[in-house]
Amino acid sequence: MSGPRHLVSIDDLSLAEIRELFERAQEFARDPRAWASLCPGLISASLFYEPSTRTRLSFESAMLRLGGGVVTAADMSQSSASKGESLADTVRVVGGSYSDIIVLRHPSEGAARLAASYSSVPVINAGDGSHEHPTQTLCDLYNLWVEHGRIEGIDVVLAGDLRYSRTIHSFAYALARFGANIICVPQAGFEMPEYVLQRLREEFGVEPQRADATRLGSLAAASDAMYLTPQKPHQLSLFTDARGWQVDRVDAVYMTRPQTERHGAGESTSEYLRLGKRAMAEESLRDAVVMHPLPRRDEISEEMDGDPRSIYFKQAARGVPIRMAILGTLLGRLDSNAESGAAPVQRYPVKIGDNPCPNSTCISHTETRHVSPSYQLASRSPLRAHCAWCSQELPFTHVACTSTGHYHLASAPCLRRVRPDHLVFMRDEGQARELGFEPPQRAARTCP
Amino acid sequence: MSGPRHLVSIDDLSLAEIRELFERAQEFARDPRAWASLCPGLISASLFYEPSTRTRLSFESAMLRLGGGVVTAADMSQSSASKGESLADTVRVVGGSYSDIIVLRHPSEGAARLAASYSSVPVINAGDGSHEHPTQTLCDLYNLWVEHGRIEGIDVVLAGDLRYSRTIHSFAYALARFGANIICVPQAGFEMPEYVLQRLREEFGVEPQRADATRLGSLAAASDAMYLTPQKPHQLSLFTDARGWQVDRVDAVYMTRPQTERHGAGESTSEYLRLGKRAMAEESLRDAVVMHPLPRRDEISEEMDGDPRSIYFKQAARGVPIRMAILGTLLGRLDSNAESGAAPVQRYPVKIGDNPCPNSTCISHTETRHVSPSYQLASRSPLRAHCAWCSQELPFTHVACTSTGHYHLASAPCLRRVRPDHLVFMRDEGQARELGFEPPQRAARTCP
Amino acid sequence: MSGPRHLVSIDDLSLAEIRELFERAQEFARDPRAWASLCPGLISASLFYEPSTRTRLSFESAMLRLGGGVVTAADMSQSSASKGESLADTVRVVGGSYSDIIVLRHPSEGAARLAASYSSVPVINAGDGSHEHPTQTLCDLYNLWVEHGRIEGIDVVLAGDLRYSRTIHSFAYALARFGANIICVPQAGFEMPEYVLQRLREEFGVEPQRADATRLGSLAAASDAMYLTPQKPHQLSLFTDARGWQVDRVDAVYMTRPQTERHGAGESTSEYLRLGKRAMAEESLRDAVVMHPLPRRDEISEEMDGDPRSIYFKQAARGVPIRMAILGTLLGRLDSNAESGAAPVQRYPVKIGDNPCPNSTCISHTETRHVSPSYQLASRSPLRAHCAWCSQELPFTHVACTSTGHYHLASAPCLRRVRPDHLVFMRDEGQARELGFEPPQRAARTCP
Ligand SMILES: [Zn+2]
Ligand SMILES: [Zn+2]
Ligand SMILES: [Zn+2]
Ligand SMILES: [Zn+2]
Ligand SMILES: [Zn+2]
Ligand SMILES: [Zn+2]
């Protein structure tokens, strides 16, 4: 595809490109007011289908610092959309001549990918529901890179609500990709979800280890800690005793607020972690920078604000230079030497039957007119597939093959040999029969 | 008046000026990012009393492309207006030094004319209720001009809800003024209103003809078509047989969405037209561009999006260069060789009695403090008058003369000789007597 | 403190600085479009926790005229704040790198001072509840200065709702500070509050005089007038007869709207003043300019709009150049020769007991996490103290001394000698005892 370059997911960028962004951001940060000659005449459009003032101002400030202009729709959900306009149409109009780049915030998972597939100008994902928020992740990584000079090999504590925080999940994948080690210190009951651990295992070879976090003191007092380290089985083997890995010293503590708006009935956070001077007095945390995506409520005490290790306000401030780097790059105003993109992900259409995505706020459900349900393979054995829009795992008990016309149990070994674009996912055997596929017993031998 | 030049109605512009705008827009469109030196230091204020993100962004983008600045009040109805401020006052403040030009969107018909009469800087009407939206109309005409190189003599199908769509009515007047031919293909029950046809007849000599639209195929299957051609009685005479005019080939199909928010109880659009590949496969439509003011819902099928005749996204994109031309001209940054303005319309105060405008959302009713009800004559025989603010036709049964003191039936021939500023419109005879006018029988001979 | 310079209160500026701002504004006003090279690359952030479109547009226009950029949060109360973020945190993020100056509007009294104490960039108070709105006051003074060439010694009528109008109170203090004379002509029942008169007396030596305002005609017909003149006791003595001071001629009439949103149950303004041509026909008002902070409702008749003495629209327009001067100065882009600041006001922490501020919307109550209750002394005898955040007078019956450990009646003479930072304010004697202070009889001799 020779269309414009988008930033829908952090996976759209190669490690080399990300490092290049960091270096540019570094330059911008030295004197943010000196770059107004980079993008004059160019316009960025903020299309926010839910308000997010902080993110919006950060992008708009970055564009203005580059000398560009900004048009703003701070709450699209109350505008044209009310006349029933699809996101695909809006993006084609706004990207047509109104603007040279679109910054999109949307409550539906997958919205940014949809927008990118229709837009003639670059689309930046500024948050699509609980899916991705790549510029936040890049900002967090950039902070580690600035503070520690590298990301590979550093030890990062993720603390608090690790279950519902989108920021944390994306950050964990990115840390693993960059080779950092993660120590999970969840609020009790808000542990890192299984599907996140699974992806960490499948993509980065991360095997979770029980961790002895007594040296973290009160920070880890109320929970079991877990150690995640990518691609280093030889190291891990050192720790495969009963006690697991021993936390020694930490480079960063990343706190998150309780995502109370996503919590269920029984999920109380009245006893939520509160990081203060006492907790941070442990020797193991002596050089640990304290990070937080903000806004915070009580999870970091105000007494920490003056502590030199507290970088959460700096962290937010660095959102501007990193976004300047992203905007300048996608607008083609910065030359790049880095090899671009990761290997493109294969996506396959869902050919027969209902849209199998179980996520009701997925863009494949909320904007059916312009979205063809599609999936990508996560693994062949066991067979697992994700919604190509919102990345949610597809549930199925049986899988059919459009070429042979039979269906199988999802665990059937023969499925490994079916071409991905021949796969059809069935929520149950009944659906397979309704759609006219033949039962597995008669078909077993003929596959594929 | 030596005040600033406004754009309240497309009638404020001469044909020569409109053509000049097209030529400028053409230049701007060639490289929209190359004009940032035209309006530096100038500021446009978006005053939107109802949200209309698309229109607002289009204007703001145009101003930024010209190098100007923008201040935005995206929903004035929730701001100072709540402290009871009149539009006349707001315009005098915002136009005082806050901005060099005002882009006004307002739900009351006539609001832009009121604003213009108080503002010391140019006012652009970005939609005043269901009255006018001249930059949309200019954009539509500009598209025809770009696509066909001319407007005069081309054949344009207007399809869909021709009854309630403001866009369509303004577009029809403008097409007639430019000498284009119109083929009305309404949704059944949503035909072009009589008052629109009347104005077309009075101003442009358009006599509606029954049209045989069988060659349009399914597009016209469910409705009677009508042919409207301006100023060509000799041509029309060719078709005055029983079958009317035969539709042969078409240069443009202009679709509109059902204006469901204005529909009454019995007006269903469940069977609304849906323009797709099949309908557009007719030979008569081979070279017809497909236009739509957007947002669309279902009235144009997505399958048309890739068709080279579909220009609706281009059409929206061209809104920026045409608005650049309008802004640059009104701000005095573009020299003009065209003879300016149409002949100024005479407006007369309503001297006695109540405000006769029947439109309850007319600015003459919603902002009484700063508006003197006034009217303009539409014809002398039969005597017809329009509200000078909202253009709605005034209803009356009797008319009096302030000079002679008598009243007459509205159809009385002697009224033709009364000076317009002596006319008083009466909803009935009783009102005439209440106001102290004498009955017609005794007065008949003395006029004037 | 070597932090940035803020504009929280007009008292933050010396008279010399204010005059310098006027001179700059004058220059800007000559050609507002010629200064775009003053602040390129700089960004102003509009943080509005309640909408105020007029004020916001005035600031944003000023920043654009200076060549700067603007990021806007037009209604912060509906954004991040909903995730529970404190103002102190927001200001640290937005002032971190998003912007070079913050324009803050907030419904809590004292909010701007709080913001300033946390921000690393200048904060301009664009209205904090019913507390201060210094740029409005500066704009009003600037208008008098432009119209009359000076402020000292001119006679200004303040008319209308003098009780609830924040603008009027701040304006009265400022007029007194500049040595102007004030004639109060209140709407009956809406007289200038006692605490305002008290501050005028204490800070500027103003002794209210009964005034004979018969020469003002109908403007003063329905109320008792009062004359306020600063620092001129020798002059005042001339008028200390039964009739008080005789109003002779007036330089300005400043009308205010009824602050109906703050009125109690029995406070009707159905008979509110309405300034029109007849009232302004008095000889005493021949040269009086008519001012109004806008928006107006009915308190100034439209018939005055064309009167050359009516400057209320000019007054609003001058808000842009004066704000250009303020922005340029605080951003450090204008050299200053004026001696800076008034003597800094001493503020003392409230050490013991509850927050004594009686104002429930004071920022010391609404943002407890980041605000330490504190006060400033207004006078030693009688002992009076103000909330250091919202300036409301603290109510107390007894006062204790932390050093000696005793408490006294608020009127006790010995309190004059207690160090301000030893004072503790008690709502009643019971509170004093609860907090462990000793009763006054036993302690009387030992103070201090
Ligand atoms: Zn999905
Ligand atoms: Zn098979
Ligand atoms: Zn009307
Ligand atoms: Zn007559
Ligand atoms: Zn207070
Ligand atoms: Zn004492």
Side-chain angles (χ1 to χ4, degrees), chain A residues 357 359 362 364 387 389-390:
Chain A
C357 178
N359 172 12
C362 172
S364 71
C387 172
W389 299 102
C390 74

Side-chain angles (χ1 to χ4, degrees), chain A residues 176-237:
Chain A
R177 192 169 161 215
F178 265 92
N181 307 310
I182 299 168
I183 303 126
C184 293
V185 179
Q187 181 75 10
F190 296 88
E191 286 79 15
M192 194 71 99
E194 186 51 40
Y195 70 86
V196 175
L197 297 175
Q198 199 166 42
R199 185 170 160 196
L200 286 169
R201 187 184 301 118
E202 284 168 5
E203 285 189 32
F204 308 105
V206 171
E207 286 299 332
Q209 288 288 111
R210 201 180 141 261
D212 174 355
T214 46
R215 292 193 194 161
L216 290 180
S218 64
L219 174 61
S223 58
D224 290 328
M226 182 191 289
Y227 186 69
L228 306 168
T229 189
Q231 300 163 313
K232 296 178 184 171
H234 52 291
Q235 284 193 325
L236 277 174
S237 62

Side-chain angles (χ1 to χ4, degrees), chain C residues 223-277:
Chain C
S223 59
D224 291 327
M226 184 191 289
Y227 186 67
L228 305 170
T229 189
Q231 299 163 314
K232 295 179 185 169
H234 54 290
Q235 286 193 323
L236 277 175
S237 61
L238 298 175
F239 304 119
T240 44
D241 59 1
R243 282 171 52 250
W245 181 77
Q246 169 82 43
V247 176
D248 211 42
R249 48 161 292 290
V250 161
D251 296 297
V253 175
Y254 194 102
M255 279 298 296
T256 47
R257 64 178 184 88
Q259 306 277 317
T260 40
E261 68 278 21
R262 293 179 190 152
H263 290 175
E267 299 182 313
S268 164
T269 52
S270 56
E271 301 284 301
Y272 202 78
L273 278 170
R274 186 170 166 87
L275 197 68
K277 286 201 168 175

Side-chain angles (χ1 to χ4, degrees), chain A residues 41-43 47 69-73 76 78-80 83-85 89 92-93 96-100 369-370, chain B residues 33 36 51 53-54 56-58 60-61 64-65 105 257 294-298 302 305 313 316-318 320-321:
Chain A
L42 297 183
I43 296 176
L47 292 190
V70 173
V71 292
T72 301
M76 283 293 284
Q78 297 178 350
S79 78
S80 302
K83 290 184 187 165
E85 175 158 80
D89 278 15
R92 278 181 282 190
V93 169
S97 71
Y98 294 15
S99 72
D100 305 296
R369 198 178 301 170
H370 294 282
Chain B
R33 295 174 194 85
T53 306
R54 180 192 303 280
R56 183 171 60 77
L57 294 190
S58 180
E60 294 182 356
S61 176
L64 293 174
R65 297 270 190 222
R105 173 87 164 206
R257 66 179 182 86
L294 300 183
R296 68 168 159 176
R297 270 185 244 168
D298 295 310
E302 291 75 45
D305 291 0
F313 292 122
R318 285 171 183 146
V320 174

Side-chain angles (χ1 to χ4, degrees), chain C residues 87-264:
Chain C
L87 177 59
D89 278 14
T90 300
V91 155
R92 278 181 282 190
V93 169
V94 173
S97 71
Y98 293 15
S99 71
D100 304 296
I101 196 163
I102 291 174
V103 176
L104 179 74
R105 172 90 164 203
H106 201 281
S108 290
E109 291 80 16
R113 187 166 304 286
L114 171 69
S117 73
Y118 279 96
S119 174
S120 59
V121 302
V123 170
I124 299 180
N125 185 359
D128 59 333
S130 59
H131 188 218
E132 296 221 38
H133 193 354
T135 64
Q136 172 76 53
T137 307
L138 285 168
C139 177
D140 293 344
L141 292 173
Y142 171 58
N143 269 276
L144 289 176
W145 182 83
V146 170
E147 295 288 336
H148 293 292
R150 65 190 168 98
I151 299 175
E152 190 176 359
I154 66 170
D155 293 297
V156 180
V157 166
L158 304 182
D161 181 347
L162 307 188
R163 184 162 183 194
Y164 293 107
S165 167
R166 164 183 65 187
T167 315
I168 279 285
H169 303 165
S170 298
F171 192 40
Y173 301 140
L175 287 172
R177 193 170 160 212
F178 265 94
N181 306 309
I182 300 168
I183 302 125
C184 292
V185 180
Q187 180 76 9
F190 296 89
E191 287 78 15
M192 195 71 99
E194 187 51 39
Y195 70 87
V196 175
L197 297 175
Q198 202 168 40
R199 184 171 160 195
L200 286 170
R201 187 184 302 119
E202 285 167 5
E203 286 190 33
F204 308 105
V206 171
E207 287 300 329
Q209 287 289 111
R210 203 181 140 259
D212 174 354
T214 46
R215 290 191 195 161
L216 290 179
S218 64
L219 174 61
S223 59
D224 291 327
M226 184 191 289
Y227 186 67
L228 305 170
T229 189
Q231 299 163 314
K232 295 179 185 169
H234 54 290
Q235 286 193 323
L236 277 175
S237 61
L238 298 175
F239 304 119
T240 44
D241 59 1
R243 282 171 52 250
W245 181 77
Q246 169 82 43
V247 176
D248 211 42
R249 48 161 292 290
V250 161
D251 296 297
V253 175
Y254 194 102
M255 279 298 296
T256 47
R257 64 178 184 88
Q259 306 277 317
T260 40
E261 68 278 21
R262 293 179 190 152
H263 290 175

